[in-house]
Amino acid sequence: FAHKWNKNWTAGTATNKLWYAALALVTLIMYSVATGGLILMAVFYTQKDGCLENKILLGLNGGLCLLISAVAISPCVQNRQPHSGLLQSGLISCYVTYLTFSALSSKPVEVALDEHGKNVTICVPEFGQDLYRDENLVTGLGTTLLFLCILYSCLTSTTRSSSDALQGRYAAPELEVARCCFCFGPDGEDTEEQQNVKEGPRVIYDEKRGTVYSYSYFHFVFFLASLYVM
């Protein structure tokens, strides 16, 4: 999804420089969300004394987000994947931040003695100690992400572009038409130029007459993936 998004909007920069601004704005928002999330977790899930595991987890995942950002724009990756950029790594960083939040909220509480010799819970936010509001928030976010992933998959799994992708064929970058709703073509059909780059009439590109993959195997894999997510 992120690669297709970046590729489509980058193609628009050849004709309209405003797509550069759109890419920069979306990328900035994603990195702001990821950075803000890590900062908030450092404030609420760590303390000056203790919480060593939480500190290590936050530092490790924050470092990995920086690493994938550097890899995405490295020359060796750019040579092989010219459409690789910070938008993809920014989206992945947001997802990693969500996974980190999910891990911290699911972690068993730690108990320590205060100055009065009483047991107190540490390394958890005050708002989540009684009503488990942080766990409810994680559940809501996870359900929303699951719904969006399934919706995107259902809406795009039968398009011609996805059929080509299953066979390792992709449209030429110069044929990309940048648009806000980049998941679908302007009219749902291939342009004449895109038809010319196909490999002839012997290959089926939609599901009107048949599929280019095993229909039962495809949905069986989705069935297993749904169970895994659950």
Short mmCIF file of all heavy atoms in Angstrom, two decimals, residues 189-226:
data_model
loop_
_atom_site.label_atom_id
_atom_site.label_comp_id
_atom_site.label_asym_id
_atom_site.label_seq_id
_atom_site.Cartn_x
_atom_site.Cartn_y
_atom_site.Cartn_z
N GLU A 189 -10.73 0.91 -15.89
CA GLU A 189 -10.23 0.12 -17.01
C GLU A 189 -8.82 0.58 -17.36
O GLU A 189 -8.40 1.68 -17.03
CB GLU A 189 -11.15 0.30 -18.23
CG GLU A 189 -12.57 -0.22 -18.00
CD GLU A 189 -12.62 -1.72 -17.85
OE1 GLU A 189 -11.70 -2.39 -18.38
OE2 GLU A 189 -13.53 -2.23 -17.20
N ASP A 190 -8.11 -0.25 -18.07
CA ASP A 190 -6.77 0.09 -18.52
C ASP A 190 -6.84 1.07 -19.66
O ASP A 190 -7.75 1.03 -20.49
CB ASP A 190 -6.01 -1.17 -18.97
CG ASP A 190 -5.73 -2.09 -17.80
OD1 ASP A 190 -5.54 -1.57 -16.68
OD2 ASP A 190 -5.71 -3.30 -18.01
N THR A 191 -5.84 1.94 -19.73
CA THR A 191 -5.75 2.84 -20.86
C THR A 191 -5.19 2.08 -22.06
O THR A 191 -4.68 0.97 -21.95
CB THR A 191 -4.83 4.03 -20.54
OG1 THR A 191 -3.51 3.52 -20.26
CG2 THR A 191 -5.33 4.78 -19.31
N GLU A 192 -5.27 2.70 -23.25
CA GLU A 192 -4.77 2.04 -24.46
C GLU A 192 -3.27 1.81 -24.36
O GLU A 192 -2.76 0.77 -24.80
CB GLU A 192 -5.11 2.90 -25.67
CG GLU A 192 -4.69 2.27 -27.00
CD GLU A 192 -5.09 3.13 -28.18
OE1 GLU A 192 -5.80 4.14 -27.97
OE2 GLU A 192 -4.68 2.80 -29.29
N GLU A 193 -2.55 2.76 -23.74
CA GLU A 193 -1.10 2.59 -23.60
C GLU A 193 -0.78 1.43 -22.68
O GLU A 193 0.15 0.66 -22.94
CB GLU A 193 -0.49 3.88 -23.04
CG GLU A 193 -0.52 5.05 -24.02
CD GLU A 193 0.07 6.29 -23.38
OE1 GLU A 193 -0.38 6.66 -22.29
OE2 GLU A 193 1.00 6.87 -23.96
N GLN A 194 -1.57 1.29 -21.59
CA GLN A 194 -1.33 0.18 -20.68
C GLN A 194 -1.66 -1.15 -21.34
O GLN A 194 -1.00 -2.15 -21.07
CB GLN A 194 -2.15 0.38 -19.41
CG GLN A 194 -1.63 1.52 -18.53
CD GLN A 194 -2.56 1.79 -17.36
OE1 GLN A 194 -3.77 1.75 -17.51
NE2 GLN A 194 -2.00 2.05 -16.21
N GLN A 195 -2.68 -1.16 -22.20
CA GLN A 195 -3.01 -2.39 -22.89
C GLN A 195 -1.87 -2.82 -23.80
O GLN A 195 -1.62 -4.01 -24.00
CB GLN A 195 -4.29 -2.21 -23.72
CG GLN A 195 -5.56 -2.05 -22.87
CD GLN A 195 -6.02 -3.36 -22.29
OE1 GLN A 195 -5.38 -4.39 -22.50
NE2 GLN A 195 -7.10 -3.34 -21.55
N ASN A 196 -1.15 -1.85 -24.37
CA ASN A 196 -0.07 -2.16 -25.31
C ASN A 196 1.12 -2.81 -24.62
O ASN A 196 1.90 -3.51 -25.27
CB ASN A 196 0.38 -0.89 -26.03
CG ASN A 196 -0.70 -0.38 -26.96
OD1 ASN A 196 -1.55 -1.13 -27.44
ND2 ASN A 196 -0.69 0.93 -27.21
N VAL A 197 1.31 -2.53 -23.31
CA VAL A 197 2.45 -3.10 -22.63
C VAL A 197 2.16 -4.49 -22.08
O VAL A 197 3.02 -5.12 -21.49
CB VAL A 197 2.91 -2.18 -21.47
CG1 VAL A 197 3.29 -0.82 -21.98
CG2 VAL A 197 1.84 -2.08 -20.40
N LYS A 198 0.92 -4.96 -22.24
CA LYS A 198 0.59 -6.31 -21.80
C LYS A 198 1.29 -7.32 -22.71
O LYS A 198 1.80 -7.00 -23.77
CB LYS A 198 -0.92 -6.55 -21.84
CG LYS A 198 -1.74 -5.50 -21.09
CD LYS A 198 -1.57 -5.59 -19.60
CE LYS A 198 -2.55 -4.66 -18.90
NZ LYS A 198 -2.45 -4.69 -17.47
N GLU A 199 1.23 -8.56 -22.32
CA GLU A 199 1.95 -9.60 -23.05
C GLU A 199 1.04 -10.34 -24.01
O GLU A 199 1.27 -11.50 -24.31
CB GLU A 199 2.57 -10.57 -22.05
CG GLU A 199 3.66 -9.91 -21.19
CD GLU A 199 4.31 -10.92 -20.28
OE1 GLU A 199 3.86 -12.09 -20.27
OE2 GLU A 199 5.26 -10.57 -19.59
N GLY A 200 0.00 -9.71 -24.49
CA GLY A 200 -0.85 -10.35 -25.49
C GLY A 200 -2.14 -10.85 -24.89
O GLY A 200 -2.35 -10.83 -23.69
N PRO A 201 -3.04 -11.35 -25.75
CA PRO A 201 -4.37 -11.75 -25.29
C PRO A 201 -4.42 -13.10 -24.59
O PRO A 201 -5.47 -13.49 -24.11
CB PRO A 201 -5.18 -11.80 -26.60
CG PRO A 201 -4.15 -12.13 -27.63
CD PRO A 201 -2.89 -11.43 -27.20
N ARG A 202 -3.30 -13.80 -24.52
CA ARG A 202 -3.34 -15.13 -23.93
C ARG A 202 -3.43 -15.09 -22.40
O ARG A 202 -3.69 -16.11 -21.78
CB ARG A 202 -2.09 -15.92 -24.32
CG ARG A 202 -0.80 -15.30 -23.83
CD ARG A 202 0.42 -16.07 -24.31
NE ARG A 202 1.66 -15.48 -23.86
CZ ARG A 202 2.19 -15.67 -22.67
NH1 ARG A 202 1.57 -16.44 -21.79
NH2 ARG A 202 3.34 -15.11 -22.35
N VAL A 203 -3.19 -13.93 -21.80
CA VAL A 203 -3.21 -13.82 -20.34
C VAL A 203 -4.50 -13.15 -19.90
O VAL A 203 -4.93 -12.17 -20.49
CB VAL A 203 -1.99 -13.01 -19.84
CG1 VAL A 203 -2.02 -12.92 -18.33
CG2 VAL A 203 -0.70 -13.67 -20.30
N ILE A 204 -5.13 -13.69 -18.88
CA ILE A 204 -6.38 -13.13 -18.35
C ILE A 204 -6.03 -12.11 -17.27
O ILE A 204 -5.26 -12.39 -16.36
CB ILE A 204 -7.26 -14.25 -17.76
CG1 ILE A 204 -7.57 -15.28 -18.83
CG2 ILE A 204 -8.54 -13.67 -17.16
CD1 ILE A 204 -8.28 -16.50 -18.30
N TYR A 205 -6.62 -10.91 -17.36
CA TYR A 205 -6.28 -9.84 -16.43
C TYR A 205 -7.42 -9.49 -15.48
O TYR A 205 -7.26 -8.64 -14.63
CB TYR A 205 -5.89 -8.57 -17.21
CG TYR A 205 -4.67 -8.79 -18.06
CD1 TYR A 205 -4.78 -8.99 -19.42
CD2 TYR A 205 -3.39 -8.82 -17.48
CE1 TYR A 205 -3.65 -9.20 -20.19
CE2 TYR A 205 -2.28 -9.04 -18.25
CZ TYR A 205 -2.41 -9.23 -19.61
OH TYR A 205 -1.31 -9.45 -20.38
N ASP A 206 -8.56 -10.09 -15.64
CA ASP A 206 -9.64 -9.85 -14.70
C ASP A 206 -10.33 -11.18 -14.41
O ASP A 206 -9.89 -12.23 -14.84
CB ASP A 206 -10.63 -8.80 -15.23
CG ASP A 206 -11.15 -9.17 -16.61
OD1 ASP A 206 -11.36 -10.38 -16.85
OD2 ASP A 206 -11.34 -8.27 -17.44
N GLU A 207 -11.42 -11.12 -13.66
CA GLU A 207 -12.10 -12.34 -13.25
C GLU A 207 -13.42 -12.55 -13.96
O GLU A 207 -14.31 -13.23 -13.46
CB GLU A 207 -12.31 -12.31 -11.73
CG GLU A 207 -11.01 -12.27 -10.97
CD GLU A 207 -11.20 -12.46 -9.47
OE1 GLU A 207 -12.36 -12.61 -9.05
OE2 GLU A 207 -10.21 -12.44 -8.74
N LYS A 208 -13.56 -11.97 -15.14
CA LYS A 208 -14.79 -12.18 -15.91
C LYS A 208 -14.84 -13.58 -16.49
O LYS A 208 -15.90 -14.20 -16.57
CB LYS A 208 -14.89 -11.14 -17.01
CG LYS A 208 -15.08 -9.71 -16.49
CD LYS A 208 -15.16 -8.71 -17.64
CE LYS A 208 -15.34 -7.29 -17.11
NZ LYS A 208 -15.40 -6.30 -18.22
N ARG A 209 -13.69 -14.11 -16.91
CA ARG A 209 -13.65 -15.44 -17.50
C ARG A 209 -12.87 -16.44 -16.68
O ARG A 209 -13.00 -17.64 -16.86
CB ARG A 209 -13.04 -15.35 -18.90
CG ARG A 209 -13.90 -14.60 -19.91
CD ARG A 209 -13.16 -14.40 -21.22
NE ARG A 209 -12.00 -13.53 -21.03
CZ ARG A 209 -11.10 -13.28 -21.98
NH1 ARG A 209 -11.20 -13.89 -23.15
NH2 ARG A 209 -10.11 -12.45 -21.75
N GLY A 210 -12.06 -15.96 -15.78
CA GLY A 210 -11.26 -16.86 -14.97
C GLY A 210 -10.26 -16.07 -14.17
O GLY A 210 -10.21 -14.84 -14.23
N THR A 211 -9.46 -16.74 -13.39
CA THR A 211 -8.46 -16.08 -12.56
C THR A 211 -7.07 -16.53 -12.97
O THR A 211 -6.88 -17.60 -13.54
CB THR A 211 -8.67 -16.43 -11.08
OG1 THR A 211 -8.57 -17.85 -10.92
CG2 THR A 211 -10.02 -15.97 -10.58
N VAL A 212 -6.09 -15.69 -12.70
CA VAL A 212 -4.70 -16.01 -13.04
C VAL A 212 -3.99 -16.65 -11.86
O VAL A 212 -2.79 -16.84 -11.89
CB VAL A 212 -3.95 -14.72 -13.46
CG1 VAL A 212 -4.53 -14.18 -14.75
CG2 VAL A 212 -4.00 -13.68 -12.36
N TYR A 213 -4.75 -16.97 -10.82
CA TYR A 213 -4.18 -17.62 -9.65
C TYR A 213 -5.23 -18.60 -9.12
O TYR A 213 -6.36 -18.64 -9.60
CB TYR A 213 -3.84 -16.60 -8.57
CG TYR A 213 -5.01 -15.70 -8.19
CD1 TYR A 213 -5.89 -16.05 -7.18
CD2 TYR A 213 -5.23 -14.50 -8.88
CE1 TYR A 213 -6.97 -15.26 -6.85
CE2 TYR A 213 -6.31 -13.70 -8.55
CZ TYR A 213 -7.17 -14.08 -7.53
OH TYR A 213 -8.24 -13.29 -7.21
N SER A 214 -4.85 -19.42 -8.16
CA SER A 214 -5.78 -20.38 -7.57
C SER A 214 -6.75 -19.65 -6.65
O SER A 214 -6.36 -19.14 -5.60
CB SER A 214 -5.00 -21.44 -6.79
OG SER A 214 -5.89 -22.29 -6.09
N TYR A 215 -7.99 -19.61 -7.07
CA TYR A 215 -9.01 -18.88 -6.30
C TYR A 215 -9.18 -19.47 -4.90
O TYR A 215 -9.24 -18.74 -3.91
CB TYR A 215 -10.33 -18.91 -7.06
CG TYR A 215 -11.37 -17.95 -6.55
CD1 TYR A 215 -11.36 -16.60 -6.93
CD2 TYR A 215 -12.39 -18.37 -5.70
CE1 TYR A 215 -12.32 -15.72 -6.47
CE2 TYR A 215 -13.35 -17.49 -5.24
CZ TYR A 215 -13.31 -16.17 -5.62
OH TYR A 215 -14.25 -15.29 -5.16
N SER A 216 -9.25 -20.78 -4.81
CA SER A 216 -9.45 -21.42 -3.50
C SER A 216 -8.23 -21.24 -2.61
O SER A 216 -8.36 -20.96 -1.42
CB SER A 216 -9.76 -22.90 -3.69
OG SER A 216 -8.70 -23.53 -4.41
N TYR A 217 -7.03 -21.37 -3.19
CA TYR A 217 -5.82 -21.21 -2.40
C TYR A 217 -5.69 -19.78 -1.89
O TYR A 217 -5.29 -19.54 -0.74
CB TYR A 217 -4.60 -21.57 -3.24
CG TYR A 217 -3.28 -21.38 -2.53
CD1 TYR A 217 -2.88 -22.25 -1.52
CD2 TYR A 217 -2.43 -20.33 -2.88
CE1 TYR A 217 -1.68 -22.07 -0.86
CE2 TYR A 217 -1.24 -20.14 -2.22
CZ TYR A 217 -0.86 -21.01 -1.22
OH TYR A 217 0.32 -20.82 -0.56
N PHE A 218 -6.03 -18.82 -2.73
CA PHE A 218 -5.94 -17.41 -2.36
C PHE A 218 -6.80 -17.13 -1.12
O PHE A 218 -6.35 -16.53 -0.14
CB PHE A 218 -6.39 -16.55 -3.54
CG PHE A 218 -6.51 -15.08 -3.23
CD1 PHE A 218 -5.40 -14.25 -3.27
CD2 PHE A 218 -7.74 -14.52 -2.91
CE1 PHE A 218 -5.50 -12.91 -2.99
CE2 PHE A 218 -7.86 -13.17 -2.63
CZ PHE A 218 -6.73 -12.36 -2.67
N HIS A 219 -8.05 -17.59 -1.14
CA HIS A 219 -8.95 -17.30 -0.02
C HIS A 219 -8.63 -18.17 1.19
O HIS A 219 -8.92 -17.77 2.33
CB HIS A 219 -10.40 -17.47 -0.46
CG HIS A 219 -10.87 -16.37 -1.37
ND1 HIS A 219 -11.24 -15.13 -0.89
CD2 HIS A 219 -11.00 -16.30 -2.71
CE1 HIS A 219 -11.60 -14.36 -1.90
NE2 HIS A 219 -11.45 -15.04 -3.02
N PHE A 220 -8.05 -19.34 0.98
CA PHE A 220 -7.63 -20.14 2.12
C PHE A 220 -6.49 -19.45 2.87
O PHE A 220 -6.46 -19.46 4.11
CB PHE A 220 -7.17 -21.53 1.65
CG PHE A 220 -6.70 -22.42 2.76
CD1 PHE A 220 -7.61 -22.93 3.69
CD2 PHE A 220 -5.36 -22.75 2.88
CE1 PHE A 220 -7.17 -23.75 4.73
CE2 PHE A 220 -4.92 -23.56 3.91
CZ PHE A 220 -5.82 -24.06 4.83
N VAL A 221 -5.58 -18.83 2.14
CA VAL A 221 -4.49 -18.08 2.77
C VAL A 221 -5.06 -16.89 3.55
O VAL A 221 -4.63 -16.60 4.67
CB VAL A 221 -3.47 -17.61 1.71
CG1 VAL A 221 -2.47 -16.64 2.32
CG2 VAL A 221 -2.74 -18.82 1.13
N PHE A 222 -6.05 -16.21 2.97
CA PHE A 222 -6.68 -15.09 3.68
C PHE A 222 -7.39 -15.58 4.93
O PHE A 222 -7.41 -14.90 5.96
CB PHE A 222 -7.67 -14.39 2.75
CG PHE A 222 -7.09 -13.19 2.06
CD1 PHE A 222 -5.98 -13.32 1.24
CD2 PHE A 222 -7.61 -11.93 2.26
CE1 PHE A 222 -5.43 -12.24 0.62
CE2 PHE A 222 -7.06 -10.83 1.65
CZ PHE A 222 -5.96 -10.97 0.82
N PHE A 223 -7.99 -16.77 4.86
CA PHE A 223 -8.64 -17.36 6.02
C PHE A 223 -7.62 -17.60 7.14
O PHE A 223 -7.85 -17.25 8.31
CB PHE A 223 -9.32 -18.65 5.61
CG PHE A 223 -9.73 -19.54 6.75
CD1 PHE A 223 -10.80 -19.22 7.56
CD2 PHE A 223 -9.03 -20.70 7.00
CE1 PHE A 223 -11.16 -20.03 8.62
CE2 PHE A 223 -9.38 -21.54 8.05
CZ PHE A 223 -10.46 -21.20 8.87
N LEU A 224 -6.47 -18.17 6.79
CA LEU A 224 -5.44 -18.41 7.79
C LEU A 224 -4.89 -17.10 8.34
O LEU A 224 -4.61 -16.97 9.54
CB LEU A 224 -4.30 -19.23 7.16
CG LEU A 224 -4.65 -20.67 6.75
CD1 LEU A 224 -3.41 -21.34 6.16
CD2 LEU A 224 -5.14 -21.46 7.94
N ALA A 225 -4.73 -16.09 7.47
CA ALA A 225 -4.23 -14.80 7.93
C ALA A 225 -5.20 -14.15 8.90
O ALA A 225 -4.80 -13.52 9.89
CB ALA A 225 -4.00 -13.88 6.73
N SER A 226 -6.49 -14.29 8.65
CA SER A 226 -7.50 -13.74 9.57
C SER A 226 -7.40 -14.41 10.94
O SER A 226 -7.49 -13.76 11.98
CB SER A 226 -8.91 -13.91 8.98
OG SER A 226 -9.02 -13.24 7.75
#
